[in-house]
Amino acid sequence: MEVGAVAAMRYVKDGIKAAKLVMEHTQHTLLVGEKASVFAISMGLPGPTNLSSAESFEKWAKWKQNDCQPNFRKNVFPANGCGPYHLSQAASPVLEGTCGYIRGEDVYGKWSGASSFSGVLEKNSNLIGRHNHDTISMAVIDKMGHIAVGTSTNGATFKVPGRVGDGPIAGSSAYADDEVGACGATGDGDIMMRFLPCYQVVESMRQGMEPKHAAANAISRIARKYPDFVGAVFALNRKGIHAGACHGWTFQYSIRNSSMVDVEVVTVVP
C-alpha cells in the first residue's frame, strides 16, 4: 500500500525512478508537470534532458504537415486542423441553448443543460493500438513474499498536451497487495482508468477468484460499456500463479522465476 507516481513530467528520462523517489522520500502519492521534473532532478536524476529523438521529431513533423491528424480532440472547430481550437456549434447536448462568442483564443459562454448516458458507449478514439504506445508494466514477488508493481509509459501518440493517462493512477495501470497479489494493465488508458481494472483484479482475487477469472472479469466490465476499446491486464497472485486477459488485440506478457533459465512468453487471445 505504498504508492508513488509522476505525470506530465518533461525533461527527465526515467519516470519510474522518479515515481519511486516520490514513494520513498515524500508523504505524497502523485507529483505532476514541471514541479515533478524539478523534484526528480533535485533528488539526483539526470536532467533537464532533451528527450526528443530524430525519429520522434520526424513523426511529429509529418503529423503537423497532415494538419495534426489524427488527434484526440472532439467537438471542436477546426475539426481537421492544428488549431487554435474552439468549441464547435454542435459540440454537445450540454451546450444546447448556450449564448457565447469567440474572441481570439478565449471562449465565453454559459452552461445551460445537462446530458446523461446509459448502456453501450462509443470508444472515444481509434488511435489506441498495439503499435502506437509503449506501456511497460511489471510485477515482482521477492523471497519474503513482498509484492511490487510498476507501470511506465510515454502515453498515447498525438495526445493533447497535458493529458494524463492511466499510467500514474493507482488501481488503474497497476495495483498490488502483499496479502493478495498484483495486476498490471496496458491499452486505452483514457477508457480503462474509468474502471480501475487493476484494483478490480486484486479485489476479485481477494474474494477467491483465480487470476485468469479475475483478469477476464475486469476486462469484461470495460467491454460491456466500451465494446471497441483496446486493452489488456495481467494478474499475479501471491503464490505466483499468473494469467492475462485482453480485448481488441492479442496480448503477450513474459514471466520468469528463480527456477527458469530464461523468460517465458505467454500469448493471450481475446
Side-chain angles (χ1 to χ4, degrees), residues 17 45 54 70 73 80 114 144 169 184 202 214 246 258 261:
K17 283 186 178 179
L45 294 186
R73 295 184 185 269
N80 298 308
M144 303 299 293
I169 306 303
V202 173
C246 58
S258 58
V261 176

Side-chain angles (χ1 to χ4, degrees), residues 17-18 21-22 24-26 36-46:
K17 283 186 178 179
L21 288 169
V22 173
E24 294 181 340
H25 299 287
T26 81
S37 302
V38 171
F39 168 80
I41 294 169
S42 74
M43 297 300 290
L45 294 186

Side-chain angles (χ1 to χ4, degrees), residues 184-198:
T186 182
D188 190 344
D190 289 290
I191 296 299
M192 297 178 75
M193 68 194 298
R194 305 173 190 186
F195 295 82
L196 295 181
C198 277

